[in-house]
Amino acid sequence: MTNRFQVTDRFADGAQYIGGRLRTGTSDREHSVIDPATGESVYTYTLASTADVDEAVAAAKAAFPGWAGATPGERSDALHRLAGVLADWAEDIARVESLQCGKPLKLTTEFDVPGTIDNAAFFAGAARHLQGQSAAEYSGDHTSYIRREPIGVIGSIAPWNYPLQMAAWKILPAIAAGNTIVLKPAEITPLTSLMFAMAAKEAGIPDGVVNVVSGSGRVVGEHLVGHPDVVMTSFTGSTPVGKRVAEVATATVKRLHLELGGKAPFLVFDDADLEAAAQGAVAASLINSGQDCTAATRAYVQRPLFDAFVARVAELMESVRVGDPFAPGTDLGPLVSHRHRDSVAGFVERARGYATVVTGGEAPGGELKNGAYYRPTLITGAAQDSEVVQSEIFGPVLVALPFDGDDEGIRLANDTPYGLAASAWSRDVYRANRATREIKAGCVWVNDHIPIISEMPHGGTKASGYGKDMSAYSFEEYTQVKHVMFDNTAVAAKDWHRTIFGDRL
């Protein structure tokens, strides 16, 4: 295994970032960050306790008045500086992300890190545009206008599949709007979230504005969500855990943004460009080893193209180079952990009893045997109500099913509890436009699948949650809309008062 980044010295002071400095957690439990490509520990740290959460929230609360009182221009300048620091640290951040997640270096250097830098640059600009409805005399006797104000301390929980990007998606809109934040990353992948917080300090963002507590979800996560001084929670993760987060948040009547699971349909009509669809399906199902809530998981292909699509996808999957994330030419790295690899393998093994594994369906041996690897897998012959079609596998597994008429294809695409993302493949603009209208998802791509941009929102519907990350729409989650109304008449006894006492004047 080649060119691995050494992280112990960088995080020698611990994996908690509170009030502008790294520190050691105060729980009695240690946790190791494991390189999933080798199964070896690369960093061991002490998990946070509930006391650490309390200190982080207190630091964020103390920093809030000053940061909220900064001008939009001042916050914008700080975020521009943050984008610059992230760019300066890009190589190190990419290597740490590959080390803790098993992502191929080409994915972290060309997708995760540049996307995060772009997010920071976008929110630097967006910080100056917290706009409300124009002032006007809607009643005739009053002038009304809208203020958008920061809401306070945000307590966010990010997942392990995109630790850097999810840290950015949580932190940037929150602080651009003038809030302060305590972020809990997944305990198995905390390192780049800590680097993001350190970059914020380097950029001159005041201590306490960005805090990171690395600990377990059941202890640290629940305490953060339920903390009385936390006014809003943003959570990205599985739907079952999201339900628990909602229960805890509801008890303290705080705002809640949930970005949960997905089971994205990939709908191929019979007039589609077959090669484009096959190429797109392989890329969209294997990105981040399939550990992506928007990844293509269910390919519905109109029957005239079905056999050719299956054959071409299988051929392309078999050409994917599985290997060391740091080695040149590697296309697919390991899954995030051996435990998760075994979960993915369990789905495939159970599917053998009712479906056909066309290619893949195994862990490679040889020099990769110690890693959490799993080969790209294509399954056919599964029923619509089967586990591999309905449940989120979160691995490099694509299930292909045929359909006949357009009505059936759209019905099958919608036949899932989830509604995060989807794609439609057709040369017919009317057909594609119908699919974008009728597929129930927060994002529908046409003749592509996966690209995201900072200017557009990301979020779902149904069991995929609610609220938006990225874009100016995310400010809806992190600001309070306040109506301000001025009397313009200077009249003491107003006509409407007669509805309460007295007669019409």
Side-chain angles (χ1 to χ4, degrees):
M1 297 296 177
T2 58
N3 298 318
R4 280 171 153 64
F5 190 90
Q6 301 302 311
V7 299
T8 301
D9 291 343
R10 186 180 288 266
F11 302 105
D13 293 328
Q16 317 303 326
Y17 193 85
I18 300 172
R21 67 181 182 89
L22 286 172
R23 46 171 284 180
T24 301
T26 60
S27 77
D28 59 358
R29 292 180 56 205
E30 288 196 336
H31 187 84
S32 290
V33 177
I34 303 297
D35 177 356
T38 64
E40 298 173 355
S41 172
V42 296
Y43 178 67
T44 299
Y45 69 97
T46 304
L47 291 168
S49 68
T50 56
D52 296 320
V53 175
D54 292 340
E55 287 196 35
V57 172
K61 186 177 180 180
F64 175 70
W67 185 246
T71 67
E74 288 168 339
R75 292 198 293 266
S76 175
D77 289 347
L79 290 174
H80 276 300
R81 294 194 299 270
L82 174 58
V85 174
L86 293 171
D88 291 342
W89 295 5
E91 182 177 353
D92 283 357
I93 294 172
R95 289 188 170 276
V96 173
E97 192 79 332
S98 291
L99 182 67
Q100 68 178 355
C101 300
K103 299 169 184 276
L105 194 58
K106 68 177 181 178
L107 181 65
T108 58
T109 57
E110 297 179 30
F111 182 75
D112 296 69
V113 174
T116 300
I117 295 169
D118 187 70
N119 280 173
F122 170 80
F123 279 106
R128 291 179 177 264
H129 297 283
L130 284 169
Q131 298 173 342
Q133 194 169 5
S134 298
E137 288 68 46
Y138 296 100
S139 77
D141 291 335
H142 306 81
T143 296
S144 289
Y145 66 87
I146 295 296
R147 291 177 57 89
R148 279 195 177 272
E149 298 179 344
I151 58 178
V153 177
I154 312 300
S156 291
I157 300 176
W160 49 256
N161 58 331
Y162 289 102
L164 174 67
Q165 286 195 313
M166 293 298 99
W169 287 16
K170 303 303 182 193
I171 293 170
L172 289 169
I175 67 173
N179 304 289
T180 56
I181 189 169
V182 178
L183 175 77
K184 192 202 88 67
E187 61 268 36
I188 64 174
T189 55
L191 301 179
T192 49
S193 298
L194 293 166
M195 294 179 78
F196 191 96
M198 295 161 70
K201 182 179 178 69
E202 183 76 9
I205 294 173
D207 293 348
V209 172
V210 178
N211 307 273
V212 177
V213 287
S214 305
S216 72
R218 289 185 177 179
V219 176
V220 169
E222 292 206 8
H223 190 66
L224 178 62
V225 174
H227 199 289
D229 288 333
V230 169
V231 299
M232 182 261 188
T233 289
S234 177
F235 170 79
T236 296
S238 71
T239 298
V241 177
K243 291 178 180 178
R244 175 59 184 163
V245 169
E247 291 175 359
V248 176
T250 300
T252 50
V253 198
K254 51 174 52 75
R255 287 193 185 194
L256 187 59
H257 163 219
L258 298 174
E259 197 266 271
L260 307 177
K263 191 69 177 174
F266 188 97
L267 186 60
V268 183
F269 294 102
D270 58 12
D271 66 333
D273 181 325
L274 177 62
E275 182 64 16
Q279 295 267 354
V282 173
S285 63
L286 300 185
I287 185 171
N288 201 30
S289 296
Q291 299 165 128
D292 186 308
C293 50
T294 62
T297 59
R298 299 177 293 137
Y300 296 103
V301 185
Q302 206 150 18
R303 204 169 296 275
L305 293 184
F306 183 76
D307 290 343
F309 176 87
V310 168
R312 183 58 175 146
V313 167
E315 180 182 31
L316 289 169
M317 281 188 168
E318 289 163 5
S319 73
V320 170
R321 297 164 295 184
V322 181
D324 175 8
F326 291 86
T330 292
D331 297 320
L332 192 76
L335 293 163
V336 75
S337 69
H338 289 78
R339 178 180 178 182
H340 185 59
R341 190 271 312 276
D342 293 344
S343 172
V344 170
F347 277 99
V348 177
E349 290 308 307
R350 291 189 296 273
R352 293 183 192 276
Y354 56 80
T356 299
V357 177
V358 177
T359 189
E362 62 180 3
E367 63 180 11
L368 303 180
K369 65 182 180 180
N370 294 327
Y373 292 92
Y374 200 74
R375 293 196 184 281
T377 300
L378 176 63
I379 295 174
T380 61
Q384 177 64 17
D385 62 354
S386 62
E387 181 187 45
V388 289
V389 175
Q390 292 295 326
S391 298
E392 189 174 31
I393 300 173
F394 224 56
V397 180
L398 177 65
V399 183
L401 303 93
F403 71 92
D404 293 305
D406 290 15
D407 291 349
E408 182 188 16
I410 292 173
R411 177 181 62 78
L412 292 171
N414 284 328
D415 183 24
T416 175
Y418 301 105
L420 186 58
S423 64
W425 297 73
S426 174
R427 291 185 174 96
D428 185 330
V429 65
Y430 298 102
R431 223 174 187 185
N433 199 30
R434 178 194 175 189
T436 65
R437 290 194 312 271
E438 297 186 12
I439 292 176
K440 306 304 180 186
C443 174
V444 181
W445 293 282
V446 177
N447 295 327
D448 208 344
H449 193 115
I450 284 298
I452 54 174
I453 50 176
S454 297
E455 292 81 359
M456 289 291 112
H458 176 87
T461 186
K462 301 196 296 185
S464 293
Y466 47 83
K468 299 298 180 184
D469 287 308
M470 297 199 301
S471 84
Y473 289 99
S474 65
F475 286 136
E476 301 295 330
E477 318 300 331
Y478 297 100
T479 57
Q480 172 65 40
V481 174
K482 178 187 286 184
H483 171 215
V484 178
M485 196 174 199
F486 277 87
D487 170 59
N488 294 329
T489 67
V491 173
K494 296 179 173 58
D495 185 51
W496 73 265
H497 293 177
R498 71 180 178 82
T499 62
I500 310 303
F501 68 98
D503 299 321
R504 181 182 292 274
L505 300 178

